[in-house]
Each structure stands twice: as C-alpha cells, then as structure tokens.
Amino acid sequence: MALINKIREKSGVAVTVIAISLILFMVGGDLLGPNSLLGDNKQVVGEIAGKEINIKDFQSRVDGFRQNYEAQSGRSLNEGELASLRDQAWNQFVVDIAYKKQYDKLGLAVTDEELYDMVQGNHISPSILQAFSDPTTGRFDKNAVINYLKNLKTLPLEQQKSWENFEKSLREERTRAKYENMLRLSTYTPKAQAEKEYIAQNTKANLRYLYVPYFSVVDTTIKVTDAQLQDYLSAHKKEYKGTDTRSIEYVTFPVQPAKDDSAALYTEIKELARGLATAQSDSAFAAMNSDIPMPINQSYATMSDQLKEAVKTFVPGGVYGPYREGNTYFIYKYGGTRSDTVSSAKASHILIRAENQSDSAKAAARVKAEGILAQIKAGANFEALAATSSADPGSAQRGGDLGYFQNNGAMVKPFEEAVFSATAPGLIPRLVESQFGFHIIKVTAPKSNTLYRIATIGKTIAPSQATRDEAYRRADEFANAVKSREQFEEAVKKNKALVLANANRIPESATNINAIQNARDIVRWAFKEDTKPSSVSPVFETEEQYVVAVLTGKSDAKDVKVDDFRDELTTKVRNQIKAEQITAKLKGATGSLEDIAKKYGAGALVESANDISLATGFLTSAGFDPIALGKAFGLKAGQKSGVFTGENGVFIMELSSKTDAPKIADFTQYKTQLTQSLESRMSYLVNEAIRENAKIEDHRAKFF
C-alpha cells in the first residue's frame, strides 16, 4: 500500500508538470518572447547610444543580408561567412544609430537628385562603375544601368529588394564621405607646430651617452609584491582598461585514424594508382577519385614542400606515391613541364612597420631598418633578426620565410618588383619601401616560370565511428572524474598521453581558442553565469578532437584587478625597481662617461650617436628613446646630464656638438606633412570617436 500511495503522490506531481508545460507551450510566446510578461532582458543583443537592439530586429537584418548574398553567390553560407554577415549587420546598426545622430546634428543628407547623379548621372559612384563594367574590357556602360532600372519592376522581388538595399548603401557611403571630408578639411596645422617639426627634423647633434639597460639586471634578483602591483595599477588606471574575458586550461582528445583505418585506405589508394596509370584521361580520373580538388598544372608556389622535393625525381608518364601528408595520402602522375606566363619565387623578409605614421616616425623606422640591413651585410643571421625585429608576426616566427608566391599581385607592387627583379638567391642590398613600411628582403629561390603537369589524387584517412566513440569515451571519462582545477591538473599529470594547454584573456566574441577552430561552444560555456572559477566543462567536440576545459580566471570590464594584467604590471614595476637600483649606483659618480661606467661595472655601456636629429634619432643599443633624445637636445655643447630613466634603461647623456636647423621663412612643406598625416588617419579616428561616444554594448556573443 505504501508503494501505491507513493506512485499516486508522484503521478500527481507529474500531472501538474505536464499541465504547466502545456500552458507554457500555448502562451509561451507571450510569456517568454521579446515583449513578454516576464521581461526581455535576454532578448537584447546590444545597446548603441542608449538604444537597445532586439534579437528579432538583429536577426531580421542578418537574414536580409544572407538572402542577398545567397542570391548573388548561388550557394549557402559557411559558418565563417555567416559570422562576417553578423558583423556587417551590427555595423549597420552602429551607422543607423550612432553615425546618424552626428549626421542629423549637422544636417547632412543625400537628396534624390544626388542619388540619381551617382547612379546614372555625371558623377557615377565607384560601386556602380564596378557593378556595370564589362568584365572583358573593363569599360563602364551607362546604358546597361538605365536598361536595368527600366526593367527593375519586372524582376523577381528578391532582386528588387536587393537593388533597394544597394541604393540605401550608396546614400550611406556618400553621407559618410561628406562627414569625413568636412572633418578632414577642418584640420589645421599652426605655423608654430610646423616650425617645431622642421627644427626636430633638421637640427643635428653628435652625442655620447652612458646606458645601463634594464635587462642587465637579472629579473630573478628583483622581488615584486602584490601591493606594489596594486599601487602601480591605481596610479595608471587610464592605461589599463578592463575587458570581460575568461582564462581556461584544457586538454584535447584527438580523433585520429586507427591502424585499421589507415590500412584500408592504403589498399584503396594502391588500386587507384593502377587506374591512374592506365586512364585515358588522367586529369578526369584524378578529379573523379580525389577527396581534395587539385589543379592539373602546378608551380612551386602551389606545391606542398614534400612535392617540391619529390617532383625533381619524376619522369614523364610515371605514377608516384603514395606520399603521406598529415592524414592524406597522395599519388601523382607526372606529365612533364611547360613555360607559364606567370613566374614563382621564394623570399624572406623583415618588416619595419611605418604605415599611417608621421614623417618623423617614418624616418625613425627607416633608420632602424637601415641598421638591421647593415648588420645582415656584416654577417648577422637574417632568420634570427627576423624573429626578433620583424613586425610581420606570421613570417617572423618562421625566420621571415614567406614561402613561394607568384608575380600576379600576391604581394604589394614594390615588394614584388624587387623579388622578381633578382636573378640569383641572396640579400637584396637595399631597403624596399611599401605602404606597410620598410622591407629587408632575402630571395631564397629566384623567379621561375616552369609549370608542372601533375594529375593528383588525394585520399584522406577518415576515422571510423568506432575510433570516434573511443576518443569520446576517454574524454567523457576524464570529465566525469574531475570536479575542480586541482583535480583537473592532477589527472593530467598522471596521464602522460595528455598535454595541459592554457588560453588566457579570451574575449566573449572569440571564435577560436589558440589552434582550436570553431570554439564558440567552449567560449559560451566559459561566460555562462553559473560557470565559476575551477568549474570543469562537459566534453566539447571541435573538428577532429574532443576538448575538456576548466575555468582558471575571469576579468570584469568594470572591476580591473592586478591579475588581469599581472605580467605587464610585473614588468613595469620590476623595471621601476631596477631603475631605482641603477640610479642609486650611478648617483654622485664623477669623471668621464668611461670612468663612471668602469665604477658601475658590468652592464654599463658607453656609446656614440653622430649626426642624428630629434625626430629620427636612433641610439645603437637603446633604439628610439624619445626621453633620452629630449634630454640630450636640451643640453649645451660639452654639457653632461644627470642620471635619468629612459624607455628601456638608465642614461647619462653628453652633448658633443649641435648644429641648429638653418633659418627659413616658409614652413609650408612641414605644415603639409603634418596635415596629411592627420588626414590619413581621419577615417579611423572618427570611427573610434563615434563608437566611444555611443557607449556601445555588444552582447551578440551570448546568442551566437
């Protein structure tokens, strides 16, 4: 009887739950929708200039962009393209709200007459020129525009809507151009500022200086306390703006093909090799049977490193392979070579960035680049200098290597011309300037226009379902066995097959985590309100691996803590302490710079810098240090400064001689330089100012 009563009690609860569920199903839209009785906090994707953006409105705009894109491209979007469209939709809201406020205040608008002039009048918009130009000749045909508009109402509604959106974008582009031009034309450089720039560029000095770099004091000898870090942070709050981020540790369980998976594919590809050898059309046979589409004609620029080496041994008519690259087996049928109209070459570079900078900063970048070029000419290792000095992070980590590329616009014109003018491998003995800055270039394989005919079949080893299930079982077993960060790390130590990785300060909008692509599910988990520090995640599947993570830290945009910037703060405070120690040791020292250096001991350098200017001065070991240069140019000839702290160390400067800039009456050239430098950054500065003023809150990451 007791059991029957229990069943009755439970069934009563069950009936109640079902009833509530039915009610919620019937009225859920009213209770839980964007305009629900329970509120719409969770339906807001963001706020711009005080206006909330509802998820329905946002998604509607994304859907509109998506329909236009798919209608034009004739295919569905992938996840990366969809994310890009969401960004476009969001930026459109920023324009409609934040920018429009500025336009309305100034009375800026585009009339119907202006729009007509842009579409079919005398001042055709570049967007129209591009859309209605003959693809063969590149010539614009105004009649094509007029005929299109005459027939517009006979076209499908989707195309009519697409044109309507296109015209709207033309209005927006023109309005923004008016706004930016108005601000650009309002820029003004006073004569005093132009004169100051002239003097900074043309006053020359010869200097001697004592320099003790911070790195000469071993880091481990300096103890930095949390109290010191907090004091520094409190004193420099404006320099350390808070952001909402999360930090995690994680382990991966790769879904790698087992031996049985590889053996089955190896047998299949050997059969394909026999078929490729006898096929009447090797290119058609390869295209039909390859998992990876490959061109029939390849240059060194398109070949894998393995194929570049292998092709040297190929004989026309022969079938070669299989060659394994990652999880793919390749077989090749070689058909010989011919000359191509396009050449390939291989080069490495070191980039000293100077884009969108003032003339003085560009000059400083040139001096730095010339110094590096001189070191390489003197025998310094190109790859080592690329790794430490290049502003191109992608190639810097490979010693500057850019791999093979073609002379078809893959590189900027000055760079391409320099590389393809070289007839032999080696260092190009001059700097090459592009819009990005100054390049030091080493040609590692000179140009070649040889094209190789290779029919290629690539078959990728796919893990079986059993293999996937086994990887998931191991990941799930690990996730269920640990409940905290301490247990997580201990379990990794015990399992030698696992590698502990970490990702710090992940923003809420991140799509990738280190090398993990499409990691949105992990990011969303890390930002959930109920995910606390030391929480362990469920198992996530990303591409060909399973991931288990533990939350190790979080930062709050409104509550900046030392831990948010611990490494940066530690470096700053440590250098302050080093500066104090070095200064105390140098203070009161007398005699020549050499005498003072000798008394100081190891770490003190005495160097010279001749014929340098305040704008472009480059100190041999210290680099560009504006504090040191300012001190030096403020001295009188023969005068020595006191001990002071520079950017990267402690100095004593001595001015040997100074030649003042010749007197001139016309500073127009320098006025123009400064004005143009400001104008080139106008669009960026305006955009940043409007966005900051609009106090934008972006919560899209909670939805997508």
Side-chain angles (χ1 to χ4, degrees), residues 38 66 162 180 276 322 475 525 628:
L38 300 180
R66 181 176 191 161
S162 179
E180 290 182 0
L276 183 61
W525 165 80

Side-chain angles (χ1 to χ4, degrees), residues 86 101 126 132 141 252 267 349 380 401 442 484 588 600 607 623:
R86 291 193 190 107
K101 279 192 172 184
F132 290 91
D141 184 359
T252 61
T267 301
H349 82 141
D401 183 23
K442 182 171 78 170
S484 66
Y600 179 88
E607 298 177 337

Side-chain angles (χ1 to χ4, degrees), residues 99 101-109 173-188 675 678-679 682-683 686 690:
Y99 273 81
K101 279 192 172 184
Q102 304 300 320
Y103 301 158
D104 290 346
K105 285 180 183 177
L106 297 165
L108 293 177
E173 285 175 16
R174 177 59 62 88
T175 308
R176 180 164 178 171
K178 287 182 177 183
Y179 182 69
E180 290 182 0
N181 284 336
M182 185 184 70
L183 290 173
R184 180 176 59 81
L185 294 172
S186 69
T187 56
Y188 173 71
T675 302
L678 180 59
E679 287 177 353
M682 182 59 66
S683 181
V686 166
I690 289 177

Side-chain angles (χ1 to χ4, degrees), residues 319-345:
V319 175
Y320 300 90
Y323 296 91
R324 184 170 178 173
E325 294 184 17
N327 283 336
T328 303
Y329 284 107
F330 288 97
I331 52 174
Y332 306 105
K333 184 175 180 181
Y334 183 52
T337 63
R338 66 177 176 84
S339 295
D340 192 10
T341 55
V342 177
S343 295
S344 301

Side-chain angles (χ1 to χ4, degrees), residues 599-630:
K599 290 174 188 173
Y600 179 88
L605 306 171
V606 176
E607 298 177 337
S608 299
N610 296 321
D611 198 35
I612 66 171
S613 70
L614 183 61
T616 62
F618 190 81
L619 305 178
T620 307
S621 297
F624 184 68
D625 194 311
I627 299 173
L629 290 173

Side-chain angles (χ1 to χ4, degrees), residues 368-661:
K368 182 179 179 181
E370 287 173 342
I372 294 171
L373 180 62
Q375 290 181 57
I376 296 169
K377 286 180 177 178
N381 184 275
F382 186 100
E383 289 72 21
L385 283 170
T388 57
S389 304
S390 181
D392 176 9
S395 65
Q397 61 187 357
R398 300 188 301 272
D401 183 23
L402 294 165
Y404 279 89
F405 50 90
Q406 296 178 319
N407 60 339
N408 56 1
M411 298 293 177
V412 291
K413 192 172 182 180
F415 189 98
E416 185 178 277
E417 288 177 347
V419 171
F420 285 92
S421 296
T423 56
L427 181 71
I428 292 176
R430 61 181 176 82
L431 296 182
V432 175
E433 184 178 359
S434 76
Q435 63 260 45
F436 299 110
F438 299 98
H439 305 262
I440 299 125
I441 304 172
K442 182 171 78 170
V443 177
T444 47
K447 65 181 178 184
S448 167
N449 67 341
T450 302
L451 204 59
Y452 299 80
R453 189 184 190 282
I454 305 172
T456 306
I457 296 177
K459 300 297 287 185
T460 301
I461 313 166
S464 63
Q465 189 57 49
T467 301
R468 291 181 178 280
D469 291 345
E470 174 56 23
Y472 180 83
R473 184 196 64 75
R474 290 186 288 110
D476 190 51
E477 186 178 80
F478 178 90
N480 288 323
V482 295
K483 303 300 179 188
S484 66
R485 179 180 181 181
E486 185 180 0
Q487 291 179 9
F488 189 100
E489 293 174 347
E490 191 60 36
V492 174
K493 285 179 185 176
K494 290 178 181 177
N495 189 339
K496 301 300 180 185
L498 297 177
V499 176
L500 185 68
N502 62 70
N504 295 321
R505 299 180 64 77
I506 304 167
E508 194 173 9
S509 60
T511 55
N512 303 330
I513 296 176
N514 294 340
I516 302 174
Q517 304 293 311
N518 301 320
R520 285 297 304 151
D521 287 343
I522 303 174
V523 176
R524 276 195 289 267
W525 165 80
F527 276 87
K528 283 173 64 177
E529 290 183 12
D530 58 352
T531 302
K532 308 296 182 187
S534 201
S535 294
V536 177
S537 77
V539 178
F540 295 107
E541 182 177 6
T542 63
E543 297 178 341
E544 294 301 308
Q545 61 187 348
Y546 294 103
V547 181
V548 181
V550 60
L551 190 70
T552 57
K554 56 170 65 177
S555 68
D556 188 334
K558 297 175 182 177
D559 184 18
V560 181
K561 293 184 171 63
V562 165
D563 281 338
D564 299 345
F565 298 97
R566 181 170 289 276
D567 291 344
E568 298 96 315
L569 293 171
T570 299
T571 299
K572 291 287 187 181
V573 173
R574 186 191 290 129
N575 285 345
Q576 278 189 343
I577 298 171
K578 288 182 179 182
E580 291 167 3
Q581 291 183 359
I582 296 167
T583 300
K585 198 171 175 182
L586 287 172
K587 210 155 191 179
T590 56
S592 67
L593 294 178
E594 287 78 8
D595 291 338
I596 298 171
K598 189 174 181 181
K599 290 174 188 173
Y600 179 88
L605 306 171
V606 176
E607 298 177 337
S608 299
N610 296 321
D611 198 35
I612 66 171
S613 70
L614 183 61
T616 62
F618 190 81
L619 305 178
T620 307
S621 297
F624 184 68
D625 194 311
I627 299 173
L629 290 173
K631 287 276 188 182
F633 275 80
L635 298 171
K636 294 179 181 178
Q639 190 178 10
K640 192 160 54 184
S641 75
V643 181
F644 67 91
T645 301
E647 294 278 346
N648 298 301
V650 176
F651 290 86
I652 299 175
M653 304 297 294
E654 184 177 272
L655 181 66
S656 302
S657 62
K658 182 168 69 174
T659 304
D660 290 333

Side-chain angles (χ1 to χ4, degrees), residues 52-67:
E52 291 185 341
I53 311 301
N54 187 280
I55 182 62
K56 281 190 174 180
D57 295 336
F58 179 76
Q59 190 58 50
S60 175
R61 186 163 291 188
V62 173
D63 290 342
F65 285 168
R66 181 176 191 161
Q67 288 168 8

